[in-house]
Amino acid sequence: MNNLTLADNASAALGFPPGFDWLDTVGARLGADGLPDFGDRRAEAAAALASDVVAPLADRGSLRVRGADADAFLQGQLSNDLRELTPTRGQLTSYSNPKGRVLAIFAAIRAGDEIWMETSRSLLAATLKRLKMFVMRSKVQLDDAGSDVVSIGIAGPNADRVLDAAGLLVPSVLCLCAEVDGIVVMRRRGPQNRYTLHGPAARLAALWPTLAAHARPVGTEAWRLTDILAGFPALHPETAEQHVAQMMNLDKLEGVSFSKGCYPGQEIVARLHYLGNLKRRMFVARTPAGTVVRGAPIVVAGGEGQAVGDVLDHALHPEGGQALLVVLQTAQAEAGDLRIGSSEGPAVDVLR
């Protein structure tokens, strides 16, 4: 069992996250970490890697941005070029502090006259508060979309057929979006077919039985496993403001534009890009056993105990232990014995 924070305990006490209170009617339960599953997380993780699955993305929330100056405002705050965000093309982007350290990572979608920015629910309130500080006289409104915009995921070898059975369009290209009756489908990165659905909670709840008839329901952590193995990062309070965008491969994931105008941290990001002196990158890894917490240092066994990286995220692996995203010194990625926490901590096997 993972270590729980006070926020995790509070989430469990309050019940299902906002917009997902309907999950108890479809057989979901709430885990001790405040996230829903369907009774067997390890089996659900195995299903997520081998078959068609549908998952509530209950650890995600969305910022909603609207107003005449919405595009101009976000263009001056985020790492990607908002001019390339269209109703049929979403994008990955990030928000950093002036030192270039990433505060939040977003999947951005244009829906009518609004922009929806999906991010970690645990960072949503703090990110919203910070962005509002810079609105000033701009004609822009920012709020927590709450149950007006929630997300579920569909993955698997026949995920396109699952969408088709539900009467939804199937985006054919990474980050391509398709809207049907208020529900936006976005194709996501991954070795298998992966899509996310975004829209009002009531609409997605009504659609769930159809999706579940063609794909196995799995919990939020099982979906996070597919994110991790796809090399798709997420930030949490323990890991926010620790890394520059390139250290989490956001440049490789097309989440950074090097030709747009200024934004917080842009000078640092550009310097790393053009000078080519980046010393840390994100890697997919695995640990066979032991307790893992986000932000835990990674050290070289037998070394001096100095951290050479840290754990960005983790999720149960069906073959035991945890799948990991880790940020490491590139010189240490293929080094000998890496451990979490201390020289006696769980081993880290870097996969790619």
Side-chain angles (χ1 to χ4, degrees), residues 143-309:
D143 65 355
D144 179 347
S147 60
D148 289 343
V149 184
V150 299
S151 307
I152 61 177
I154 299 171
N158 302 300
D160 52 346
R161 299 181 189 176
V162 179
L163 292 176
D164 187 63
L168 300 170
L169 297 178
V170 181
S172 59
V173 179
L174 176 65
C175 281
L176 199 67
C177 295
E179 185 269 334
V180 174
D181 198 19
I183 296 177
V184 178
V185 182
M186 183 177 183
R187 189 179 185 105
R188 306 301 281 258
R189 185 178 300 273
Q192 75 270 63
N193 294 325
R194 297 202 317 145
Y195 306 91
T196 49
L197 279 56
H198 309 263
R203 295 291 316 286
L204 292 182
L207 196 62
W208 182 273
T210 301
L211 298 171
H214 296 85
R216 173 174 173 167
V218 298
T220 300
E221 187 178 20
W223 177 266
R224 188 65 204 136
L225 172 66
T226 70
D227 267 346
I228 288 172
L229 296 181
F232 188 85
L235 284 182
H236 305 272
E238 306 93 328
T239 52
E241 294 192 82
Q242 299 299 311
H243 305 293
V244 176
Q246 291 102 312
M247 295 179 186
M248 294 180 289
N249 297 350
L250 293 181
D251 54 335
K252 294 183 176 181
L253 298 173
E254 301 180 354
V256 180
S257 170
F258 295 103
S259 59
K260 62 169 285 184
C262 295
Y263 57 91
Q266 182 264 345
E267 182 179 353
I268 306 299
V269 172
R271 185 184 304 152
L272 284 174
H273 175 69
Y274 291 111
L275 296 182
N277 59 351
L278 184 66
K279 297 181 179 180
R280 290 178 182 244
R281 278 285 189 184
M282 185 181 73
F283 297 88
V284 178
R286 186 178 165 198
T287 184
T291 298
V292 181
V293 295
R294 298 182 184 108
I298 296 175
V299 304
V300 178
E304 299 178 356
Q306 183 174 358
V308 298

Side-chain angles (χ1 to χ4, degrees), residues 15-215:
F16 289 103
F20 290 97
D21 52 341
W22 51 273
L23 282 173
D24 61 345
T25 68
V26 295
R29 66 175 190 178
L30 199 65
D33 58 358
L35 297 177
D37 61 56
F38 289 84
D40 188 337
R41 291 197 178 189
R42 194 77 70 177
E44 291 165 31
L49 301 187
S51 58
D52 300 318
V53 297
V54 56
L57 307 191
D59 61 340
R60 316 293 290 171
S62 288
L63 295 180
R64 176 169 48 194
V65 188
R66 46 196 164 172
D69 296 334
D71 281 53
F73 174 77
L74 292 178
Q75 184 75 336
Q77 299 294 328
L78 305 181
S79 63
N80 218 334
D81 192 339
L82 262 290
R83 293 171 295 186
E84 299 178 1
L85 184 68
T86 73
T88 59
R89 183 73 181 182
Q91 65 179 206
L92 176 68
T93 189
S94 64
Y95 180 45
S96 299
N97 66 21
K99 295 182 179 180
R101 303 289 169 166
V102 180
L103 292 152
I105 298 171
F106 302 105
I109 295 169
R110 191 179 294 280
D113 59 356
E114 299 180 346
I115 296 173
W116 300 342
M117 302 202 305
E118 180 199 270
T119 191
S120 297
R121 187 180 297 277
S122 57
L123 292 174
L124 197 151
T127 305
L128 177 60
K129 181 179 179 180
R130 186 182 180 98
L131 281 169
K132 282 185 173 181
M133 292 170 56
F134 302 99
V135 170
M136 299 180 185
R137 292 189 177 91
S138 297
K139 296 178 181 178
V140 59
Q141 296 173 278
L142 300 95
D143 65 355
D144 179 347
S147 60
D148 289 343
V149 184
V150 299
S151 307
I152 61 177
I154 299 171
N158 302 300
D160 52 346
R161 299 181 189 176
V162 179
L163 292 176
D164 187 63
L168 300 170
L169 297 178
V170 181
S172 59
V173 179
L174 176 65
C175 281
L176 199 67
C177 295
E179 185 269 334
V180 174
D181 198 19
I183 296 177
V184 178
V185 182
M186 183 177 183
R187 189 179 185 105
R188 306 301 281 258
R189 185 178 300 273
Q192 75 270 63
N193 294 325
R194 297 202 317 145
Y195 306 91
T196 49
L197 279 56
H198 309 263
R203 295 291 316 286
L204 292 182
L207 196 62
W208 182 273
T210 301
L211 298 171
H214 296 85

Side-chain angles (χ1 to χ4, degrees), residues 320-338:
Q322 304 267 333
L324 308 172
L325 286 178
V326 297
V327 176
L328 290 173
Q329 294 175 7
T330 53
Q332 298 291 341
E334 297 182 4
D337 197 355
L338 296 175

